[in-house]
Coordinates of all heavy atoms in Angstrom, one line a residue:
M1 N 13.1 -19.4 -16.9 CA 13.0 -19.2 -15.5 C 13.1 -20.6 -14.8 O 12.5 -21.7 -15.2 CB 11.8 -18.6 -15.1 CG 11.4 -18.5 -13.6 SD 10.0 -17.6 -13.2 CE 10.6 -15.9 -13.5
K2 N 13.9 -20.7 -13.8 CA 14.0 -21.9 -13.0 C 13.0 -21.9 -11.9 O 12.7 -20.8 -11.3 CB 15.4 -22.0 -12.5 CG 15.6 -23.3 -11.5 CD 17.0 -23.3 -10.9 CE 17.1 -24.5 -10.0 NZ 18.4 -24.6 -9.4
I3 N 12.4 -23.1 -11.6 CA 11.4 -23.1 -10.5 C 11.9 -24.2 -9.6 O 12.1 -25.3 -9.9 CB 10.0 -23.5 -11.1 CG1 9.5 -22.4 -12.0 CG2 9.0 -23.7 -9.9 CD1 8.1 -22.7 -12.6
T4 N 12.1 -23.8 -8.4 CA 12.5 -24.7 -7.3 C 11.3 -24.9 -6.4 O 10.8 -23.9 -5.8 CB 13.7 -24.1 -6.5 OG1 14.8 -23.9 -7.4 CG2 14.1 -25.0 -5.4
F5 N 10.8 -26.1 -6.3 CA 9.5 -26.4 -5.7 C 9.7 -27.2 -4.4 O 10.0 -28.5 -4.5 CB 8.7 -27.2 -6.7 CG 7.3 -27.2 -6.4 CD1 6.4 -26.3 -6.5 CD2 6.7 -28.5 -6.0 CE1 5.0 -26.3 -6.2 CE2 5.4 -28.6 -5.7 CZ 4.5 -27.5 -5.8
F6 N 9.6 -26.6 -3.2 CA 9.7 -27.2 -2.0 C 11.0 -28.1 -1.9 O 10.9 -29.3 -1.5 CB 8.5 -28.1 -1.6 CG 7.2 -27.1 -1.4 CD1 6.2 -27.1 -2.3 CD2 7.2 -26.3 -0.2 CE1 5.1 -26.3 -2.2 CE2 6.1 -25.5 -0.1 CZ 5.0 -25.5 -1.0
D7 N 12.1 -27.7 -2.4 CA 13.3 -28.5 -2.3 C 13.9 -28.7 -1.0 O 14.1 -27.7 -0.2 CB 14.2 -27.8 -3.3 CG 15.6 -28.5 -3.5 OD1 15.6 -29.8 -3.5 OD2 16.7 -28.0 -3.7
D8 N 14.2 -29.9 -0.7 CA 14.8 -30.2 0.6 C 16.0 -31.2 0.2 O 15.8 -32.4 0.2 CB 13.9 -30.9 1.5 CG 14.4 -31.2 2.9 OD1 15.3 -30.5 3.2 OD2 13.8 -32.0 3.6
S9 N 17.1 -30.7 -0.2 CA 18.3 -31.4 -0.5 C 18.0 -32.4 -1.7 O 18.1 -33.6 -1.6 CB 18.8 -32.2 0.7 OG 19.2 -31.4 1.7
N10 N 17.5 -31.8 -2.8 CA 17.2 -32.5 -4.0 C 16.0 -33.5 -3.9 O 16.0 -34.4 -4.6 CB 18.5 -33.2 -4.5 CG 19.5 -32.2 -4.9 OD1 19.2 -31.1 -5.5 ND2 20.8 -32.5 -4.7
A11 N 15.2 -33.3 -2.9 CA 14.0 -34.1 -2.9 C 12.8 -33.1 -2.4 O 13.2 -32.0 -2.0 CB 14.1 -35.1 -1.7
I12 N 11.6 -33.5 -2.6 CA 10.5 -32.8 -2.1 C 10.4 -32.7 -0.6 O 10.6 -33.7 0.0 CB 9.2 -33.3 -2.7 CG1 9.1 -33.0 -4.2 CG2 7.9 -32.8 -2.0 CD1 8.7 -31.6 -4.5
N13 N 10.3 -31.5 0.0 CA 10.1 -31.4 1.4 C 8.7 -32.0 1.7 O 7.7 -31.4 1.4 CB 10.2 -29.9 1.8 CG 10.0 -29.7 3.3 OD1 9.6 -30.5 4.0 ND2 10.6 -28.6 3.7
K14 N 8.7 -33.1 2.4 CA 7.5 -33.9 2.7 C 6.5 -32.9 3.5 O 5.3 -33.2 3.6 CB 7.7 -35.2 3.3 CG 8.3 -36.0 2.3 CD 8.5 -37.5 2.9 CE 8.9 -38.4 1.8 NZ 10.4 -38.7 1.6
N15 N 7.1 -32.1 4.4 CA 6.3 -31.2 5.2 C 5.3 -30.2 4.4 O 4.3 -29.8 4.9 CB 7.2 -30.3 6.1 CG 7.9 -31.1 7.2 OD1 7.4 -32.1 7.7 ND2 9.1 -30.7 7.4
A16 N 5.7 -30.1 3.2 CA 4.7 -29.3 2.3 C 3.5 -29.9 2.0 O 2.6 -29.3 1.5 CB 5.4 -28.9 1.0
I17 N 3.3 -31.2 2.3 CA 2.1 -31.9 2.0 C 1.1 -31.4 3.0 O -0.1 -31.3 2.7 CB 2.3 -33.5 2.2 CG1 3.3 -33.9 1.0 CG2 1.0 -34.2 2.2 CD1 3.7 -35.4 1.2
G18 N 1.5 -31.0 4.1 CA 0.6 -30.5 5.2 C 0.2 -29.1 5.1 O 0.4 -28.4 4.2
S19 N -0.4 -28.6 6.2 CA -1.0 -27.2 6.3 C 0.1 -26.2 6.7 O 1.1 -26.6 7.4 CB -2.2 -27.3 7.1 OG -1.7 -27.6 8.5
G20 N -0.1 -25.1 6.2 CA 0.8 -24.0 6.7 C 0.7 -22.7 5.6 O -0.2 -22.6 5.0
V21 N 1.7 -21.9 5.8 CA 1.9 -20.6 5.1 C 3.0 -20.9 4.2 O 4.1 -21.4 4.6 CB 2.1 -19.5 6.0 CG1 2.3 -18.2 5.1 CG2 0.8 -19.3 7.0
Y22 N 2.9 -20.7 2.9 CA 4.0 -20.9 1.9 C 4.3 -19.5 1.2 O 3.6 -18.5 1.5 CB 3.5 -21.9 0.8 CG 2.2 -21.4 0.2 CD1 2.2 -20.6 -0.9 CD2 1.0 -21.9 0.5 CE1 1.1 -20.3 -1.5 CE2 -0.2 -21.6 -0.1 CZ -0.1 -20.7 -1.1 OH -1.2 -20.4 -1.8
K23 N 5.5 -19.6 0.6 CA 5.9 -18.3 -0.1 C 6.5 -18.6 -1.4 O 7.0 -19.7 -1.7 CB 7.0 -17.6 0.8 CG 8.3 -18.5 1.0 CD 9.3 -17.8 1.9 CE 10.5 -18.8 2.2 NZ 11.5 -18.2 3.0

Side-chain angles (χ1 to χ4, degrees):
M1 173 175 283
K2 179 180 177 183
I3 298 174
T4 303
F5 194 73
F6 294 109
D7 185 27
D8 186 23
S9 300
N10 297 319
I12 289 284
N13 183 339
K14 290 183 175 95
N15 292 323
I17 294 168
S19 62
V21 178
Y22 57 84
K23 62 185 176 180

